[in-house]
Amino acid sequence: MTYRQHEEALNNPVFSIISDAARELSLDSYVIGGFVRDYLLQRGTPKDIDIVAIGSGIELAKLVAKKLPGSSEVSIFKNFGTAMIKFKDTEIEFVGARKESYHRDSRKPVVENGSLEDDQKRRDFTINALAISLNPEDYGQLLDPFDGIGDLKRQLIRTPLDPSITYSDDPLRMMRAIRFATQLNFIIHPESLQAILDNKERIKIISNERIVDELHKILASSKPSIGFALLHETGLLSYIMPELVALQGIEEIEGQRHKDNFWHTLEVVDNISKNTDNVWLRWAALLHDIGKAPTKKFDKKIGWTFHAHEFVGSKMVYKLFKRLRLPLNEKMKFVQKMVLMSSRPIVLSEDFVTDSAVRRLIFDAGEHVEDLMTLCEADITTKNPKKQKRYRNNFKIVRQKIEEVEERDHIRNFQPPISGEEIMKTFNLRPSKEIGMIKEAIKEAILEGDIPNEYNAAYTLMLQKGKEMGLKAE
Ligand code: ATP
Ligand code: MG
């Protein structure tokens, strides 16, 4: 093996600074983990750099910070024995090489100082245990004791040590295995997969925040279904999102079957991921049918129904977000809104589309009308090419209509053409329910198309409504 074979991985000038600092402290140091993996996979230049020192990572970080041009702050996490430097848009993490052993009831290990190889053994996967030397005598040499390179070629997620112990020690690694399999489109080694199945229950000791971090990364991948299928296959999904698992299966009564809404959902998520990077819209795709399990009924006349599943589903979004500690802010409201409205454009596309129905759709969806259409288009999973074409075409018509109507009527960011204040002034009113009634009547008339969305027409209608209510204009 020739030295310096991976020197080009170390183009970033910070590496020679780290190397010099380590020399001054008489330490050996290595770049390890995701940076090396992503460099070898040519996944672009990774933003995070992990450095392992044979000795104190914190001391090394302090000296590196002094040597870096400009002033760099070191954040020290004494309890973990790690330190972090932000340099330009890179985060450099320093850790002393360590040997770990675990207790069953926690993912916090007992830590001792160790060699590079000890440290590589505690890494989750062979492809994450790859290290490149920063030491002058073999600068750029790759250190790969577990054939991580071979696994990169074979596209394999494999643990350096016994997978069952690896996953039991830190069950978050089960999520990470599935996440990397999804991001890299790799296979999980069969023994590893079996070990995840055997240890799935241990996911309970992992915080929801950590789980959600991994779910986000799975959802942000180009084909999220890989991850959700693995979560399902290993049984982890039942612990994380039982609402989704409940969608799986096909029932048949009197020869009538409904589709498997779990596998359908995964297709929808993959479809939408081709058209949006907005992870919240991807969440909406993942959850758009969750109301179907609790609302499913069989009716002798009409077959399978999922009455009000959109409404029920949007309520479930809140509970699920709360349980998983996802944010309960406007992101959650957006997902709820998408779920609640997920059938609206479908209804429109099946019927003759009236302008007023389009105006109401734009009014209700507001600034998210585009996202809603993207969701509905992703929802087309029929394998019948004729139907597929017809549905696509129908949505195209709805999109055109939305554009036409919006251009004319400006409903998207609807502002009442007459303000409450003007109504109060006109009829010399104090704040009262009449004002709301008049405003509502104007809005309704605009959405129905009885009057255009314009001041003069709205003013005339206001006077007329006021008169009907027995109010006198000043
Ligand atoms: P990415 O940054 O793309 O998520 P990464 O591999 O860099 O991928 P990090 O979470 O940044 O992942 O962790 C850096 C390195 O630390 C990993 O490559 C791995 O070697 C090690 N590591 C991280 N989490 C664990 C864990 N739970 N168990 C064992 N090793 C881990
Ligand atoms: Mg990283």
Side-chain angles (χ1 to χ4, degrees):
M1 191 181 272
T2 52
Y3 285 169
R4 298 170 189 271
Q5 55 179 328
H6 290 290
E7 229 173 326
E8 74 270 22
L10 310 178
N11 269 342
N12 190 330
V14 299
F15 289 117
S16 62
I17 293 173
I18 297 169
S19 179
D20 290 347
R23 211 36 5 160
E24 267 179 51
L25 296 169
S26 307
L27 294 173
D28 281 346
S29 66
Y30 304 85
V31 52
I32 193 163
F35 180 92
V36 181
R37 178 198 69 223
D38 288 348
Y39 154 75
L40 291 167
L41 287 172
Q42 300 178 310
R43 290 181 87 214
T45 316
K47 287 270 173 285
D48 302 348
I49 299 175
D50 289 284
I51 302 293
V52 57
I54 316 306
S56 167
I58 294 175
E59 290 312 311
L60 179 58
K62 283 184 186 161
L63 188 56
V64 170
K66 266 196 217 153
K67 286 174 176 284
L68 282 172
S71 60
S72 306
E73 282 230 3
V74 194
S75 321
I76 295 174
F77 309 95
K78 241 195 164 141
N79 294 345
F80 298 98
T82 65
M84 200 259 288
I85 302 177
K86 270 202 172 135
F87 181 65
K88 296 186 180 157
D89 53 357
T90 318
E91 284 187 0
I92 316 172
E93 280 247 7
F94 294 81
V95 61
R98 52 195 177 184
K99 212 174 166 167
E100 286 177 352
S101 52
Y102 285 81
H103 287 301
R104 252 197 89 70
D105 54 348
S106 144
R107 57 182 291 263
K108 291 204 181 68
V110 180
V111 180
E112 305 163 53
N113 292 340
S115 64
L116 173 68
E117 188 140 345
D118 287 331
D119 198 89
Q120 285 173 303
K121 273 186 200 156
R122 75 171 183 88
R123 305 268 158 181
D124 46 6
F125 308 113
T126 59
I127 60 168
N128 285 349
L130 292 157
I132 296 178
S133 165
L134 299 177
N135 308 316
E137 60 278 12
D138 57 356
Y139 195 78
Q141 192 191 352
L142 185 75
L143 296 128
D144 178 20
F146 308 109
D147 194 23
I149 286 279
D151 287 342
L152 282 180
K153 288 198 185 115
R154 290 183 285 269
Q155 307 197 300
L156 203 57
I157 306 290
R158 190 167 61 89
T159 57
L161 305 177
D162 178 337
S164 201
I165 296 169
T166 304
Y167 293 122
S168 173
D169 279 350
D170 178 0
L172 181 67
R173 293 167 180 160
M174 303 191 283
M175 296 294 298
R176 285 173 59 90
I178 292 173
R179 185 256 289 192
F180 284 119
T182 314
Q183 285 180 322
L184 306 174
N185 199 3
F186 276 25
I187 303 290
I188 298 177
H189 191 283
E191 279 168 30
S192 235
L193 204 59
Q194 183 59 47
I196 296 177
L197 254 147
D198 297 342
N199 286 285
K200 59 176 189 271
E201 210 195 316
R202 293 196 38 81
I203 196 67
K204 286 184 187 160
I205 68 167
I206 303 298
S207 74
N208 283 319
E209 285 87 344
R210 304 300 292 263
I211 291 174
V212 162
D213 271 353
E214 299 301 326
L215 286 179
H216 272 305
K217 287 179 183 171
I218 292 171
L219 263 182
S221 312
S222 52
K223 204 174 169 204
S225 67
I226 298 174
F228 286 97
L230 283 167
L231 288 172
H232 184 51
E233 186 188 338
T234 54
L236 285 169
L237 199 58
S238 300
Y239 292 92
I240 302 169
M241 282 200 258
E243 300 90 338
L244 271 185
V245 180
L247 293 178
Q248 198 244 307
I250 299 173
E251 255 190 273
E252 182 169 333
I253 297 183
E254 296 179 4
Q256 300 215 49
R257 294 151 63 92
H258 62 77
K259 67 175 172 237
D260 184 311
N261 283 302
F262 176 72
W263 296 105
H264 161 72
T265 291
L266 296 197
E267 264 186 75
V268 178
V269 175
D270 281 352
N271 284 346
I272 211 162
S273 301
K274 291 182 197 127
N275 295 317
T276 183
D277 287 333
N278 177 351
V279 77
W280 300 107
L281 187 51
R282 292 180 179 201
W283 269 103
L286 184 68
L287 303 179
H288 81 285
D289 270 349
I290 45 168
K292 280 194 172 172
T295 57
K296 183 167 96 171
K297 284 209 173 65
F298 185 78
D299 180 294
K300 278 193 182 311
K301 281 194 197 115
I302 43 178
W304 291 102
T305 66
F306 304 91
H307 183 65
H309 79 84
E310 300 89 346
F311 178 75
V312 173
S314 74
K315 299 279 164 210
M316 290 168 76
V317 167
Y318 170 77
K319 285 191 193 143
L320 190 143
F321 267 51
K322 193 165 174 192
R323 188 185 72 232
L324 290 180
R325 297 190 190 275
L326 278 151
L328 298 177
N329 56 13
E330 77 285 354
K331 307 288 184 213
M332 191 268 305
K333 289 201 183 117
F334 166 74
V335 175
Q336 280 192 307
K337 186 168 168 182
M338 290 297 105
V339 173
L340 182 64
M341 294 192 70
S342 57
S343 303
R344 288 273 299 273
I346 301 172
V347 178
L348 273 192
S349 74
E350 281 167 353
D351 261 347
F352 171 73
V353 200
T354 64
D355 282 8
S356 67
V358 173
R359 269 190 298 270
R360 283 186 191 279
L361 178 74
I362 305 175
F363 180 80
D364 291 338
E367 57 178 328
H368 302 126
V369 68
E370 280 292 318
D371 287 339
L372 182 62
M373 291 308 296
T374 305
L375 174 58
C376 286
E377 282 157 353
D379 204 0
I380 305 174
T381 59
T382 172
K383 299 292 169 291
N384 176 332
K386 265 195 188 152
K387 279 192 186 169
Q388 164 96 237
K389 204 169 160 197
R390 191 174 78 230
Y391 296 160
R392 283 199 188 288
N393 199 43
N394 285 347
F395 280 132
K396 217 161 125 193
I397 296 169
V398 176
R399 272 195 191 260
Q400 273 165 6
K401 270 274 180 194
I402 290 174
E403 227 169 88
E404 274 167 37
V405 168
E406 178 55 21
E407 201 170 306
R408 191 178 62 226
D409 300 336
H410 310 290
I411 303 293
R412 208 178 143 115
N413 298 304
F414 185 81
Q415 296 291 336
I418 301 274
S419 69
E421 247 166 59
E422 182 153 10
I423 300 171
M424 295 204 302
K425 234 168 57 204
T426 308
F427 298 110
N428 194 21
L429 287 173
R430 294 175 160 279
S432 59
K433 72 168 196 281
E434 280 84 356
I435 299 155
M437 287 161 69
I438 293 175
K439 278 180 88 173
E440 182 64 19
I442 294 172
K443 185 198 92 190
E444 276 299 308
I446 292 169
L447 293 181
E448 265 310 297
D450 297 339
I451 63 166
N453 185 9
E454 284 164 10
Y455 178 82
N456 285 342
Y459 191 84
T460 310
L461 184 65
M462 168 188 74
L463 291 181
Q464 186 196 324
K465 286 283 156 195
K467 205 168 158 194
E468 282 169 26
M469 292 160 85
L471 301 172
K472 279 209 173 67
E474 285 284 280

CSV table of all heavy atoms in Angstrom, one decimal, residues 72-105:
chain,number,residue,atom,x,y,z
A,72,SER,N,-11.2,31.7,16.1
A,72,SER,CA,-12.2,30.7,16.1
A,72,SER,C,-12.5,30.3,17.5
A,72,SER,O,-11.6,30.2,18.3
A,72,SER,CB,-11.7,29.5,15.4
A,72,SER,OG,-11.2,29.8,14.1
A,73,GLU,N,-13.8,30.2,17.8
A,73,GLU,CA,-14.2,29.8,19.1
A,73,GLU,C,-14.2,28.3,19.2
A,73,GLU,O,-14.6,27.6,18.3
A,73,GLU,CB,-15.6,30.3,19.4
A,73,GLU,CG,-15.6,31.8,19.7
A,73,GLU,CD,-16.4,32.1,21.0
A,73,GLU,OE1,-16.9,31.2,21.6
A,73,GLU,OE2,-16.5,33.3,21.3
A,74,VAL,N,-13.8,27.8,20.4
A,74,VAL,CA,-13.9,26.4,20.7
A,74,VAL,C,-15.1,26.1,21.6
A,74,VAL,O,-15.2,26.8,22.7
A,74,VAL,CB,-12.7,25.8,21.4
A,74,VAL,CG1,-12.6,24.3,21.3
A,74,VAL,CG2,-11.4,26.4,20.7
A,75,SER,N,-16.0,25.3,21.2
A,75,SER,CA,-17.0,24.8,22.2
A,75,SER,C,-16.6,23.5,22.8
A,75,SER,O,-16.3,22.6,22.1
A,75,SER,CB,-18.4,24.6,21.5
A,75,SER,OG,-18.6,25.6,20.6
A,76,ILE,N,-16.5,23.5,24.1
A,76,ILE,CA,-16.0,22.3,24.8
A,76,ILE,C,-17.2,21.6,25.5
A,76,ILE,O,-18.0,22.2,26.2
A,76,ILE,CB,-14.9,22.7,25.8
A,76,ILE,CG1,-13.7,23.2,25.0
A,76,ILE,CG2,-14.5,21.5,26.6
A,76,ILE,CD1,-12.6,23.8,25.8
A,77,PHE,N,-17.3,20.3,25.2
A,77,PHE,CA,-18.3,19.5,25.9
A,77,PHE,C,-17.5,18.5,26.8
A,77,PHE,O,-17.2,17.4,26.4
A,77,PHE,CB,-19.2,18.7,24.9
A,77,PHE,CG,-19.7,19.6,23.8
A,77,PHE,CD1,-19.1,19.8,22.6
A,77,PHE,CD2,-20.9,20.4,24.1
A,77,PHE,CE1,-19.6,20.7,21.6
A,77,PHE,CE2,-21.4,21.2,23.1
A,77,PHE,CZ,-20.7,21.4,21.9
A,78,LYS,N,-17.2,19.0,28.0
A,78,LYS,CA,-16.4,18.2,28.9
A,78,LYS,C,-16.9,16.8,29.2
A,78,LYS,O,-16.1,15.9,29.2
A,78,LYS,CB,-16.2,19.0,30.2
A,78,LYS,CG,-14.7,19.4,30.4
A,78,LYS,CD,-14.4,19.8,31.8
A,78,LYS,CE,-12.9,19.8,32.0
A,78,LYS,NZ,-12.5,20.9,32.8
A,79,ASN,N,-18.2,16.7,29.4
A,79,ASN,CA,-18.8,15.4,29.8
A,79,ASN,C,-18.5,14.4,28.7
A,79,ASN,O,-18.4,13.2,29.0
A,79,ASN,CB,-20.3,15.6,30.0
A,79,ASN,CG,-20.6,16.4,31.2
A,79,ASN,OD1,-19.7,16.7,32.0
A,79,ASN,ND2,-21.8,16.9,31.4
A,80,PHE,N,-18.5,14.8,27.5
A,80,PHE,CA,-18.3,13.9,26.4
A,80,PHE,C,-16.9,13.8,26.0
A,80,PHE,O,-16.5,13.0,25.1
A,80,PHE,CB,-19.2,14.3,25.2
A,80,PHE,CG,-20.6,14.3,25.5
A,80,PHE,CD1,-21.3,15.5,25.8
A,80,PHE,CD2,-21.4,13.1,25.4
A,80,PHE,CE1,-22.7,15.5,26.0
A,80,PHE,CE2,-22.7,13.1,25.7
A,80,PHE,CZ,-23.4,14.3,26.0
A,81,GLY,N,-16.0,14.7,26.5
A,81,GLY,CA,-14.6,14.7,26.1
A,81,GLY,C,-14.5,15.1,24.7
A,81,GLY,O,-13.5,14.7,24.0
A,82,THR,N,-15.4,16.0,24.2
A,82,THR,CA,-15.3,16.5,22.8
A,82,THR,C,-15.2,18.0,22.7
A,82,THR,O,-15.6,18.7,23.7
A,82,THR,CB,-16.5,16.0,22.0
A,82,THR,OG1,-17.7,16.6,22.5
A,82,THR,CG2,-16.7,14.5,22.0
A,83,ALA,N,-14.8,18.5,21.6
A,83,ALA,CA,-14.7,19.9,21.4
A,83,ALA,C,-15.1,20.2,19.9
A,83,ALA,O,-14.9,19.3,19.1
A,83,ALA,CB,-13.4,20.5,21.7
A,84,MET,N,-15.6,21.4,19.7
A,84,MET,CA,-16.0,21.7,18.3
A,84,MET,C,-15.6,23.1,17.9
A,84,MET,O,-15.6,24.0,18.7
A,84,MET,CB,-17.6,21.6,18.2
A,84,MET,CG,-18.1,21.4,16.9
A,84,MET,SD,-18.7,23.0,16.2
A,84,MET,CE,-20.2,23.1,17.2
A,85,ILE,N,-15.1,23.2,16.7
A,85,ILE,CA,-14.7,24.5,16.2
A,85,ILE,C,-15.5,24.8,14.9
A,85,ILE,O,-15.6,23.9,14.1
A,85,ILE,CB,-13.2,24.6,15.8
A,85,ILE,CG1,-12.3,24.2,17.0
A,85,ILE,CG2,-12.8,25.9,15.2
A,85,ILE,CD1,-10.8,24.2,16.6
A,86,LYS,N,-16.1,26.0,14.9
A,86,LYS,CA,-16.7,26.4,13.6
A,86,LYS,C,-15.7,27.2,12.8
A,86,LYS,O,-15.2,28.2,13.3
A,86,LYS,CB,-17.9,27.2,13.9
A,86,LYS,CG,-19.2,26.4,14.1
A,86,LYS,CD,-20.4,27.3,13.9
A,86,LYS,CE,-21.6,26.3,13.8
A,86,LYS,NZ,-22.7,26.7,14.6
A,87,PHE,N,-15.4,26.8,11.6
A,87,PHE,CA,-14.5,27.5,10.8
A,87,PHE,C,-15.1,27.7,9.4
A,87,PHE,O,-15.3,26.7,8.7
A,87,PHE,CB,-13.1,26.7,10.7
A,87,PHE,CG,-12.1,27.5,9.9
A,87,PHE,CD1,-11.6,28.7,10.3
A,87,PHE,CD2,-11.6,26.9,8.7
A,87,PHE,CE1,-10.6,29.4,9.5
A,87,PHE,CE2,-10.7,27.6,7.9
A,87,PHE,CZ,-10.2,28.8,8.4
A,88,LYS,N,-15.3,28.9,9.1
A,88,LYS,CA,-16.1,29.3,7.9
A,88,LYS,C,-17.4,28.5,7.9
A,88,LYS,O,-18.1,28.5,9.0
A,88,LYS,CB,-15.3,29.0,6.6
A,88,LYS,CG,-14.1,29.9,6.6
A,88,LYS,CD,-13.3,29.8,5.3
A,88,LYS,CE,-12.1,30.7,5.3
A,88,LYS,NZ,-11.1,30.3,4.4
A,89,ASP,N,-17.8,27.7,6.9
A,89,ASP,CA,-19.0,26.9,7.1
A,89,ASP,C,-18.8,25.5,7.4
A,89,ASP,O,-19.6,24.6,7.2
A,89,ASP,CB,-19.9,27.1,5.8
A,89,ASP,CG,-19.1,26.7,4.5
A,89,ASP,OD1,-17.9,26.4,4.7
A,89,ASP,OD2,-19.7,26.7,3.5
A,90,THR,N,-17.6,25.2,8.0
A,90,THR,CA,-17.3,23.8,8.4
A,90,THR,C,-17.4,23.7,9.9
A,90,THR,O,-16.9,24.6,10.6
A,90,THR,CB,-15.9,23.4,7.9
A,90,THR,OG1,-15.7,23.9,6.6
A,90,THR,CG2,-15.7,21.9,7.9
A,91,GLU,N,-17.9,22.6,10.4
A,91,GLU,CA,-17.8,22.3,11.8
A,91,GLU,C,-16.8,21.1,12.0
A,91,GLU,O,-16.9,20.1,11.4
A,91,GLU,CB,-19.2,21.8,12.3
A,91,GLU,CG,-20.1,22.9,12.5
A,91,GLU,CD,-21.4,22.5,13.2
A,91,GLU,OE1,-21.6,21.3,13.5
A,91,GLU,OE2,-22.3,23.4,13.3
A,92,ILE,N,-15.8,21.4,12.8
A,92,ILE,CA,-14.8,20.4,13.1
A,92,ILE,C,-14.9,19.9,14.5
A,92,ILE,O,-14.9,20.7,15.5
A,92,ILE,CB,-13.4,21.0,12.9
A,92,ILE,CG1,-13.3,21.9,11.6
A,92,ILE,CG2,-12.3,19.9,12.8
A,92,ILE,CD1,-12.0,22.6,11.5
A,93,GLU,N,-15.2,18.6,14.6
A,93,GLU,CA,-15.4,18.0,15.9
A,93,GLU,C,-14.1,17.2,16.3
A,93,GLU,O,-13.6,16.5,15.5
A,93,GLU,CB,-16.5,16.9,15.8
A,93,GLU,CG,-17.9,17.5,15.9
A,93,GLU,CD,-18.6,17.1,17.2
A,93,GLU,OE1,-18.0,16.4,18.1
A,93,GLU,OE2,-19.8,17.4,17.3
A,94,PHE,N,-13.7,17.4,17.6
A,94,PHE,CA,-12.5,16.7,18.0
A,94,PHE,C,-12.9,15.7,19.2
A,94,PHE,O,-13.7,16.1,20.0
A,94,PHE,CB,-11.5,17.7,18.6
A,94,PHE,CG,-10.9,18.6,17.5
A,94,PHE,CD1,-11.6,19.7,17.1
A,94,PHE,CD2,-9.7,18.3,17.0
A,94,PHE,CE1,-11.1,20.6,16.1
A,94,PHE,CE2,-9.1,19.2,16.0
A,94,PHE,CZ,-9.9,20.3,15.5
A,95,VAL,N,-12.3,14.6,19.1
A,95,VAL,CA,-12.6,13.6,20.2
A,95,VAL,C,-11.3,12.8,20.5
A,95,VAL,O,-10.5,12.6,19.5
A,95,VAL,CB,-13.8,12.7,19.8
A,95,VAL,CG1,-13.5,11.9,18.6
A,95,VAL,CG2,-14.1,11.8,21.0
A,96,GLY,N,-11.1,12.5,21.7
A,96,GLY,CA,-9.9,11.6,22.0
A,96,GLY,C,-10.3,10.2,21.7
A,96,GLY,O,-11.5,9.8,21.9
A,97,ALA,N,-9.4,9.4,21.1
A,97,ALA,CA,-9.7,8.0,20.8
A,97,ALA,C,-10.2,7.3,22.1
A,97,ALA,O,-9.7,7.5,23.2
A,97,ALA,CB,-8.5,7.3,20.3
A,98,ARG,N,-11.3,6.5,22.0
A,98,ARG,CA,-11.8,5.8,23.2
A,98,ARG,C,-12.2,4.4,23.0
A,98,ARG,O,-12.5,4.0,21.9
A,98,ARG,CB,-12.8,6.7,23.8
A,98,ARG,CG,-14.0,7.0,22.9
A,98,ARG,CD,-14.7,8.2,23.5
A,98,ARG,NE,-15.8,8.6,22.6
A,98,ARG,CZ,-16.6,9.6,22.9
A,98,ARG,NH1,-16.5,10.3,24.0
A,98,ARG,NH2,-17.5,10.0,22.1
A,99,LYS,N,-12.3,3.8,24.1
A,99,LYS,CA,-12.8,2.4,24.2
A,99,LYS,C,-14.1,2.5,25.0
A,99,LYS,O,-14.2,3.2,26.0
A,99,LYS,CB,-11.8,1.6,25.0
A,99,LYS,CG,-11.6,0.2,24.7
A,99,LYS,CD,-10.4,-0.3,25.5
A,99,LYS,CE,-10.4,-1.8,25.5
A,99,LYS,NZ,-9.2,-2.4,26.0
A,100,GLU,N,-15.1,1.8,24.5
A,100,GLU,CA,-16.4,2.0,25.2
A,100,GLU,C,-17.0,0.6,25.7
A,100,GLU,O,-16.8,-0.4,25.1
A,100,GLU,CB,-17.4,2.6,24.3
A,100,GLU,CG,-17.2,4.0,24.0
A,100,GLU,CD,-18.1,4.6,23.0
A,100,GLU,OE1,-18.9,3.9,22.4
A,100,GLU,OE2,-18.1,5.9,22.9
A,101,SER,N,-17.7,0.7,26.8
A,101,SER,CA,-18.5,-0.5,27.2
A,101,SER,C,-19.8,0.1,27.7
A,101,SER,O,-19.9,1.2,28.2
A,101,SER,CB,-17.8,-1.3,28.2
A,101,SER,OG,-17.4,-0.5,29.3
A,102,TYR,N,-20.9,-0.7,27.5
A,102,TYR,CA,-22.2,-0.2,27.8
A,102,TYR,C,-23.0,-1.0,28.9
A,102,TYR,O,-22.7,-2.1,29.1
A,102,TYR,CB,-23.1,-0.4,26.5
A,102,TYR,CG,-22.7,0.6,25.4
A,102,TYR,CD1,-21.6,0.4,24.6
A,102,TYR,CD2,-23.5,1.7,25.2
A,102,TYR,CE1,-21.3,1.3,23.6
A,102,TYR,CE2,-23.2,2.6,24.2
A,102,TYR,CZ,-22.1,2.4,23.4
A,102,TYR,OH,-21.8,3.3,22.4
A,103,HIS,N,-23.9,-0.3,29.5
A,103,HIS,CA,-24.9,-0.9,30.3
A,103,HIS,C,-26.2,-1.1,29.6
A,103,HIS,O,-26.5,-0.3,28.7
A,103,HIS,CB,-25.2,0.0,31.6
A,103,HIS,CG,-24.1,0.0,32.5
A,103,HIS,ND1,-23.6,-1.2,33.1
A,103,HIS,CD2,-23.3,1.0,33.0
A,103,HIS,CE1,-22.6,-0.9,33.9
A,103,HIS,NE2,-22.4,0.4,33.9
A,104,ARG,N,-27.0,-2.1,30.0
A,104,ARG,CA,-28.1,-2.4,29.2
A,104,ARG,C,-29.2,-1.3,29.1
A,104,ARG,O,-29.9,-1.2,28.1
A,104,ARG,CB,-28.8,-3.7,29.7
A,104,ARG,CG,-28.6,-4.9,28.8
A,104,ARG,CD,-29.6,-6.0,29.2
A,104,ARG,NE,-30.8,-5.9,28.4
A,104,ARG,CZ,-30.9,-6.1,27.1
A,104,ARG,NH1,-29.9,-6.4,26.4
A,104,ARG,NH2,-32.1,-6.0,26.6
A,105,ASP,N,-29.3,-0.6,30.2
A,105,ASP,CA,-30.5,0.3,30.3
A,105,ASP,C,-30.2,1.7,29.8
A,105,ASP,O,-30.9,2.7,30.0
A,105,ASP,CB,-31.0,0.4,31.7
A,105,ASP,CG,-29.9,0.7,32.7
A,105,ASP,OD1,-28.7,0.7,32.2
A,105,ASP,OD2,-30.2,1.0,33.8
